[in-house]
Amino acid sequence: MKTDNPYLELDQKIVGDVYTSKAPESLLITLCDDFGSRFGGTEGAKLASDLLKEKFAEYGLHNVHKDAYDYDGWYRGKATLQILSPVQRDLPCISLPYCPAAEIEGELVFVNEGRAEEFEKEKDQIAGNIILSQSGGIHRMEKYDRAILHDASGFIFQNHYPGYSEVTGTIGWNHEAIIPGIGISYETGEFLKRLSQRKGKVKVRIQTTDEYRRTQAWNIVGELPGKTYPEEVIIVGCHYDGHDISQGANDPLSGMVVVTEMARVLAAYAKGSLARTVRFVAWSNEEVGLFGAYHDANQFRDSPEKVRFTWNLDSAGSPGGRKGIGLHRLPDFEPFIENAAKEMALDIPIRQGISGYSDHYPYFLLGIPTGSIATIGRPAGRGFGHTAFDTVDKTDTMSIREAAALGARLVLRQLNAVQLSLKPRSAEEIEKMLREDSGLEQHRLREAIYEKLGKENLRQYCNEVV
Ligand SMILES: [Zn+2]
């Protein structure tokens, strides 16, 4: 049969192998059930890094190594939330990663999803008091940063999903968290709202006892060297750390095992014949502020043009939709994807947008084009993500296979393309996006905080790229 797909034979091998392989499923179960959360600074993180290194080597990648760095690890302590008035009650809560040890008292100020206008409405009540904001709508960090900019003394983050207990998420983002923050369940938050509606102002006390200790983390790296343009590199990565209260089965591991599976099949069927170099990375410490990705991106600081693209496959195998491509404001790359889709006999939905909340961001800041595998049709929001309920039983082998087959076939074409038309962004273009792009609001809020408090007064954990 005549075909206009020059990769038909390779495609058939890759798809056939991926759809009959148990490798990702078995790796994911070991990483979750045997090593736990793999949160930075835990024994599980170390064991996971060893196993991922072993897998990269077993699959035949070159130059497989661990790239270590030291940083200030955060260690959870007991947190308490007490209502002082109009009733007295102890409520369940957890501190949010990078929360400092603290004891504060204040009245609750409710700001719903924590958007600018919701803060504006309550602005006279906030100084010295405690913000209660729910998850959903916008990223947690934006809610938290607005609380700081309004001089709140503390931050309570309510899960907006019933039945999933407390929600977590870092509030440090490469700095010691400036005001203490705790996570509570939907039900606890609704109780507090009812109490305030029925009986007026609610005064609470929050105590946190978290600690910091110097510790080590590792990115795991392995490559398939290119034959024609070995100095041109495409990075394919995902983080392997989960939140400490969770198995982190879908976020991040459904994506991490997509990366290992892509490495496995590209090594098996295309090793030695790829034009460009593909560099697989398992990033550490994404959940607490992208430390691993910042550390990795730093080595391309002086020659970012070497990295022609960075794929961030965080949670890429999540269930609940079909797989498409997320491009971080790269309309010029769409024809390449569309052409590849035609060859692959696939319909690949493309989404354009950017956020600064995952591991592509440090590469993006260097001007490197970045993208992801997106799960299209999944309801917005994290659901059980960032809770104790992101467990192996909620992963979906078929979603992982779909993402791995798509990723391997697409990256294969990118590695072998005669020409990659995408150019790196200039520093001016990045600056403009940071100023104007609706997806990068957190950058502007952080700048406002640095101006207010002085960046030099904040304890920093890891070297940033900019
Ligand atoms: Zn993630």
Side-chain angles (χ1 to χ4, degrees):
M1 196 180 82
K2 231 173 93 47
T3 169
D4 47 8
N5 177 5
Y7 292 99
L8 184 64
E9 220 173 290
L10 268 177
D11 275 345
Q12 287 171 340
K13 284 180 182 161
I14 289 171
V15 175
D17 191 334
V18 165
Y19 276 83
T20 49
S21 155
K22 290 199 162 169
E25 197 179 344
S26 127
L27 178 59
L28 186 145
I29 293 173
T30 304
L31 288 167
C32 287
D33 283 356
D34 294 354
F35 304 155
S37 70
R38 309 160 313 277
F39 189 74
T42 63
E43 180 63 12
K46 164 91 172 50
L47 293 171
S49 70
D50 290 341
L51 180 60
L52 287 164
K53 185 180 166 210
E54 218 176 280
K55 287 290 160 194
F56 278 179
E58 180 190 321
Y59 295 155
L61 301 189
H62 291 213
N63 190 21
V64 173
H65 64 280
K66 280 198 193 187
D67 186 6
Y69 59 93
D70 294 325
Y71 72 105
D72 286 336
W74 177 85
Y75 294 85
R76 175 180 299 288
K78 189 175 158 47
T80 56
L81 170 62
Q82 285 175 288
I83 307 178
L84 301 176
S85 68
V87 297
Q88 283 86 49
R89 190 79 60 86
D90 291 344
L91 298 172
C93 71
I94 57 170
S95 45
L96 298 173
Y98 282 82
C99 178
E103 180 171 352
I104 54 165
E105 286 183 16
E107 280 169 9
L108 293 182
V109 181
F110 299 88
V111 296
N112 300 315
E113 288 188 341
R115 293 172 194 278
E117 57 276 17
E118 290 163 332
F119 270 91
E120 185 59 28
K121 247 200 316 212
E122 301 294 335
K123 68 173 191 285
D124 299 332
Q125 318 299 321
I126 299 175
N129 283 323
I130 297 169
I131 287 295
L132 192 149
S133 180
Q134 68 198 42
S135 55
I138 53 173
H139 195 271
R140 169 191 69 257
M141 284 306 292
E142 291 173 31
K143 308 165 200 259
Y144 178 76
D145 282 355
R146 286 202 182 96
I148 296 166
L149 290 169
H150 284 83
D151 296 310
S153 65
F155 178 72
I156 302 180
F157 188 42
Q158 179 199 3
N159 199 344
H160 75 294
Y161 295 100
Y164 282 137
S165 198
E166 288 88 15
V167 65
T168 191
T170 189
I171 48 171
W173 215 262
N174 204 19
H175 297 282
E176 182 167 39
I178 294 158
I179 57 174
I182 57 171
I184 60 173
S185 67
Y186 171 80
E187 292 76 8
T188 299
E190 293 305 298
F191 166 67
L192 288 167
K193 286 178 199 166
R194 278 198 307 278
L195 189 62
S196 134
Q197 279 156 9
R198 291 173 58 228
K199 305 199 173 181
K201 294 214 177 297
V202 177
K203 193 174 177 199
V204 300
R205 175 188 295 141
I206 294 172
Q207 262 184 300
T208 54
T209 58
D210 308 283
E211 289 175 16
Y212 299 91
R213 287 200 291 280
R214 204 70 190 155
T215 186
Q216 199 169 53
W218 311 267
N219 294 329
I220 300 91
V221 183
E223 293 174 351
L224 293 173
K227 217 170 55 174
T228 323
Y229 320 107
E231 70 293 344
E232 293 187 14
V233 178
I234 289 169
I235 293 177
V236 177
C238 179
H239 69 101
Y240 65 92
D241 62 305
H243 271 293
D244 66 321
I245 61 164
S246 176
Q247 288 198 327
N250 281 289
D251 177 11
L253 287 187
S254 72
M256 186 67 250
V257 299
V258 165
V259 172
T260 50
E261 188 69 345
M262 286 170 65
R264 189 179 69 79
V265 293
L266 286 174
Y269 303 113
K271 188 173 169 175
S273 70
L274 298 167
R276 295 182 179 79
T277 297
V278 56
R279 185 170 178 276
F280 296 96
V281 192
W283 290 300
S284 48
N285 279 325
E286 188 264 2
E287 294 293 7
V288 295
L290 323 180
F291 296 178
Y294 273 116
H295 179 74
D296 189 68
N298 246 331
Q299 59 192 286
F300 301 105
R301 195 183 192 130
D302 297 326
S303 52
E305 68 288 346
K306 271 176 69 173
V307 183
R308 305 303 302 262
F309 202 92
T310 297
W311 288 103
N312 174 12
L313 302 190
D314 189 357
S315 315
S318 289
R322 49 186 293 229
K323 299 304 168 192
I325 293 300
L327 293 178
H328 302 154
R329 307 271 191 237
L330 301 169
D332 294 351
F333 196 43
E334 287 190 23
F336 179 88
I337 309 260
E338 283 158 7
N339 186 53
K342 235 184 256 162
E343 279 183 9
M344 293 191 256
L346 279 179
D347 173 25
I348 306 178
I350 301 174
R351 271 191 189 161
Q352 296 281 358
I354 178 126
S355 94
Y357 300 114
S358 191
D359 286 326
H360 55 274
Y361 189 57
Y363 304 88
F364 161 80
L365 290 174
L366 293 177
I368 296 165
T370 59
S372 65
I373 289 182
T375 305
I376 312 278
R378 201 167 70 120
R382 292 186 200 271
F384 52 74
H386 283 203
T387 77
F389 297 85
D390 184 3
T391 43
V392 172
D393 46 276
K394 297 186 194 65
T395 58
D396 175 30
T397 300
M398 291 310 280
S399 292
I400 291 168
R401 286 176 175 165
E402 189 187 349
L406 170 63
R409 297 165 81 191
L410 194 60
V411 170
L412 170 72
R413 285 163 169 81
Q414 214 181 358
L415 288 165
N416 285 344
V418 178
Q419 219 189 346
L420 282 180
S421 52
L422 273 184
K423 296 276 171 291
R425 285 190 174 102
S426 67
E428 292 71 39
E429 283 173 277
I430 298 291
E431 259 314 305
K432 186 168 157 32
M433 285 181 73
L434 289 172
R435 269 199 320 273
E436 293 172 7
D437 196 291
S438 58
L440 298 170
E441 174 72 2
Q442 195 225 342
H443 172 80
R444 299 182 290 268
L445 289 167
R446 280 274 126 172
E447 289 294 303
I449 286 175
Y450 296 154
E451 200 167 309
K452 183 182 168 89
L453 302 174
K455 196 173 182 178
E456 63 286 356
N457 299 321
L458 301 172
R459 183 164 131 191
Q460 202 163 329
Y461 298 117
C462 190
N463 294 326
E464 283 186 54
V465 175
V466 291

